[in-house]
Amino acid sequence: MAQATGLSPAAVSYALRGLQVSEETMERVRAAAAELGYEADPIARALASGRTGMIGLLCGSLEDLWQQSLAVGISRGLREKDRYALILDAVGDPARERALAQQLRDQRVDGMIVQPVDPAAPFWPALCETLPVVAIGDSLAGTAGEVVFDNRRGVTLALEHLKGKGHRHVAVLTPTRPSTPDRPADVHVTAEADRLGLDIEVATASHGLAAATEAAHRVLRDGRPSAVFCFADSIAYGVYAAAAERGLSIPGDISVMGYDDHPMSGLLTPGLTTVDWDIDGIVRAAVRLISAAADGATRRRRVVQQPTLRERGSVLSRS
């Protein structure tokens, strides 16, 4: 390569890594590499640079279809920056989340993006001291950056919409476990329901369709609410399934709202009214933040995603 380009071996190495050389030199070296069929040895490159090119992506639960879409987007976004995503699934389990986070650290990834199951877990600050971490959804102490949701606004949009449609008794299905009670959305839904004078019942539901359907059956069985607000569209799909099994119509017998506007939600009959968090914006922000942090940026950045209400046909007006 050095002979083909007329550059020193050091200059060729820098150009292939995009370091300390001009754009013209990088293009010249890359063109020569393509012509010669040259591919850098990733192990040698990692040893020389101290970087693996790998970013750990620790998902809270890949049974959540929205998190699946997020993982796909982040993986593609990182690839455009010559990085690769190592995707792991915490399956909604705080203990598994901790073990996988530590595993990613031990595998010397250049950084980690996490959608935390338990943002209050005490291990996060120590782990964030050992590698750059970007959190999505909830804040974590010590991160290099975070893309958080304005959950107060999102919950308010949903509950005000239901109240405006005449609903007073609302069931809330959340993936939050009793062992992780401090997630902002769950804390705010109770306070906001009190402010609006709504009678709410909060229950736990997993993202998987079978588990979400079972949880929906429980809230629809006795003292049926007029509406169900779900903290994930994947959980709302379980309400659709349970309603159909019980011979209930949506929205005639039960209204349903989701919380992340997965693309499938517009294909349901009726379409699911939900809260849109702009998944493309989240992907761009997370990739930008972790790439900067992995390259040595020390300034901590915080991006707050604002929600919008996506109104479709799943909420009936009872007023």
Side-chain angles (χ1 to χ4, degrees):
M1 282 288 293
Q3 185 177 1
T5 58
L7 298 170
S8 69
V12 169
S13 176
Y14 284 135
L16 287 172
R17 288 182 284 152
L19 301 173
Q20 301 180 21
V21 295
S22 67
E23 283 289 335
E24 181 183 355
T25 299
M26 281 192 286
E27 289 300 322
R28 180 175 159 194
V29 170
R30 288 170 181 170
E35 185 176 343
L36 294 171
Y38 173 82
E39 293 185 6
D41 183 340
I43 296 176
R45 184 169 58 187
L47 289 171
S49 66
R51 299 177 182 176
T52 63
M54 300 296 295
I55 300 294
L57 176 55
L58 180 52
C59 302
S61 173
L62 284 176
E63 285 188 312
D64 180 3
L65 299 179
W66 187 84
Q67 290 189 44
Q68 291 180 20
S69 297
L70 193 65
V72 169
I74 289 173
S75 177
R76 290 175 178 171
L78 289 171
R79 184 67 191 93
E80 290 173 1
K81 293 184 175 292
D82 282 335
R83 289 187 165 93
Y84 296 86
L86 180 58
I87 302 172
L88 298 177
D89 181 9
V91 298
D93 182 352
R96 182 178 174 88
E97 177 177 67
R98 176 175 180 168
L100 292 178
Q102 293 171 337
Q103 180 181 330
L104 287 170
R105 177 201 61 197
D106 294 343
Q107 289 183 280
R108 303 296 179 91
V109 294
D110 296 339
M112 182 170 69
I113 299 173
V114 60
Q115 303 160 64
V117 173
D118 185 5
F123 74 89
W124 287 118
L127 184 134
C128 290
E129 289 180 359
T130 64
L131 81 163
V133 176
V134 168
I136 294 179
D138 293 304
S139 293
L140 295 178
T143 56
E146 57 188 23
V147 185
V148 296
F149 307 154
D150 186 350
N151 279 302
R152 293 180 67 87
R153 179 61 182 152
V155 167
T156 296
L157 275 175
L159 293 186
E160 285 187 345
H161 181 68
L162 290 174
K163 181 178 180 179
K165 293 288 188 178
H167 297 275
R168 295 295 180 269
H169 182 195
V170 178
V172 177
L173 291 181
T174 171
T176 298
R177 297 184 175 199
S179 59
T180 58
D182 299 324
R183 298 178 71 91
D186 296 87
V187 171
H188 186 57
V189 75
T190 302
E192 193 64 356
D194 288 343
R195 182 184 72 84
L196 294 171
L198 298 177
D199 176 20
I200 68 166
E201 171 193 355
V202 180
T204 298
S206 298
H207 290 287
L209 181 59
T213 302
E214 183 180 347
H217 272 298
R218 288 195 295 269
V219 301
L220 296 177
R221 186 174 296 131
D222 301 312
R224 189 173 75 226
S226 65
V228 182
F229 172 35
C230 304
F231 273 132
D233 285 14
S234 290
I235 296 174
Y237 303 158
V239 181
Y240 272 66
E245 290 170 7
R246 302 181 77 83
L248 302 175
S249 69
I250 298 173
D253 297 312
I254 186 76
S255 292
V256 186
M257 280 197 70
Y259 202 57
D260 49 44
D261 196 26
H262 186 272
M264 233 163 131
S265 296
L267 302 178
L268 299 176
T269 303
L272 177 65
T273 294
T274 185
V275 177
D276 182 0
W277 292 102
D278 182 16
I279 193 168
D280 291 336
I282 293 168
V283 166
R284 288 192 299 270
V287 169
R288 183 176 71 250
L289 292 178
I290 197 62
S291 297
D295 285 339
T298 57
R299 181 182 174 187
R300 185 177 188 272
R301 297 182 181 273
R302 186 173 194 260
V303 177
V304 180
Q305 290 293 119
Q306 295 296 327
T308 55
L309 182 68
R310 184 64 62 91
E311 187 172 358
R312 297 191 178 100
S314 63
V315 177
L316 178 71
S317 177
R318 297 171 63 91
S319 51

